[in-house]
């Protein structure tokens, strides 16, 4: 019996012992956005029970995400495999200095989007990097951008790589680039 064959039986057992209905909206008025890492048991990690929150796995925080009173973002960083908790902040747009990590990462992501052209897969993934920056999650954005470059094997220019290095140094996140060996994608023909 395959794992997918076991799932309907598991659901039947669960339904037999389900003590619903659960509150709508969630009792704690909380939305938790977590990466899809199977090692994270969000309920146990936060001491929550069913019906107390909405759990969204592997979603990128964007202005289109439904708002809840206490939004929480959990990200498992590739840098140190630590879990960081971030409260969503409603802040007015800020002006980025040209050499800030946000501006450097945004510049590289936008350049790569333009070069991706009609290939929607990397363009969509790169737009999530920009969403992370827009939502004050720059340290996650550099991790995400490194993964996108590696996953889609995107060639980057030396100047773009240098911008990423400058941003990573400011964020104390060089291992975001070195762990995935992003430098191997540097190409003068990019």
């Amino acid at each position: 019996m395959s794992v997918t064959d076991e799932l309907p039986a598991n659901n039947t057992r669960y339904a037999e012992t389900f003590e619903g209905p659960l509150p709508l909206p969630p009792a704690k008025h909380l939305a938790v956005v977590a990466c899809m890492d199977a090692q994270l048991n969000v309920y146990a990690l936060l001491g929550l029970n069913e019906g107390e929150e909405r759990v969204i796995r592997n979603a990128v925080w964007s202005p289109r995400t439904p708002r809840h009173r206490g939004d929480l973002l959990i990200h498992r960083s590739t840098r140190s495999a630590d879990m960081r908790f971030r409260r969503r902040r409603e802040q007015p747009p800020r002006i980025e200095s040209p050499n800030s990590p946000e501006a450097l990462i945004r510049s590289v992501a936008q350049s790569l989007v333009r070069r991706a052209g009609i290939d929607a897969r990397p363009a969509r993934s790169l737009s999530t990097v920009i969403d992370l920056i827009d939502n004050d999650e720059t340290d996650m954005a550099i991790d995400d951008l490194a993964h996108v470059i590696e996953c889609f094997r995107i060639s980057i220019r030396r100047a773009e790589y240098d911008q990423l290095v400058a941003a990573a140094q400011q964020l104390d996140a060089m291992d975001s680039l070195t762990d995935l060996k992003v430098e191997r994608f540097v190409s003068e023909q990019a």
Side-chain angles (χ1 to χ4, degrees):
M1 181 190 278
S2 73
V3 172
T4 55
D5 293 332
E6 295 173 15
L7 299 179
N10 293 344
N11 181 59
T12 300
R13 279 192 299 280
Y14 174 78
E16 289 169 355
T17 62
F18 179 71
E19 296 179 14
L22 299 174
L24 278 174
K28 294 195 176 188
H29 304 282
L30 179 71
V32 177
V33 180
C35 71
M36 66 180 223
D37 187 334
Q39 296 174 25
L40 290 179
N41 178 343
V42 176
Y43 297 96
L45 185 99
L46 300 175
L48 296 169
N49 297 307
E50 292 172 319
E52 293 181 334
E53 74 300 308
R54 296 183 199 278
V55 175
I56 305 163
R57 299 301 292 254
N58 201 33
V60 172
W61 204 257
S62 84
R64 297 172 299 280
T65 304
R67 296 170 191 235
H68 298 275
R69 188 178 331 137
D71 295 337
L72 183 68
L73 178 66
I74 301 175
H75 173 69
R76 183 174 169 144
S77 170
T78 57
R79 277 205 297 274
S80 59
D82 66 324
M83 287 169 284
R84 297 174 302 214
F85 297 84
R86 302 277 183 186
R87 282 229 176 258
R88 180 178 180 191
R89 295 177 287 281
E90 295 295 332
Q91 298 176 344
R94 62 184 187 281
I95 298 173
E96 296 172 355
S97 133
N99 293 320
S100 70
E102 295 86 357
L104 295 169
I105 296 167
R106 182 186 309 276
S107 171
V108 172
Q110 289 172 337
S111 175
L112 296 177
V113 166
R114 283 190 296 275
R115 286 207 311 272
I118 61 170
D119 192 348
R121 291 178 316 136
R124 274 195 309 267
S125 296
L126 289 164
S127 71
T128 65
V129 172
I130 295 167
D131 283 343
L132 286 168
I133 294 167
D134 289 344
N135 288 287
D136 201 25
E137 296 294 344
T138 307
D139 52 341
M140 290 172 53
I142 196 158
D143 283 343
D144 204 41
L145 182 53
H147 278 95
V148 170
I149 290 168
E150 196 260 345
C151 176
F152 293 105
R153 306 243 180 275
I154 299 173
S155 294
I156 60 174
R157 296 180 177 127
R158 172 57 62 187
E160 293 167 337
Y161 181 74
D162 292 344
Q163 286 179 294
L164 292 179
V165 168
Q169 288 172 337
Q170 290 179 55
L171 295 168
D172 192 26
M174 276 304 295
D175 41 354
S176 292
L177 303 177
T178 57
D179 287 356
L180 294 174
K181 300 177 178 73
V182 172
E183 190 169 17
R184 68 190 155 133
F185 298 104
V186 172
S187 168
E188 299 310 319
Q189 290 81 32

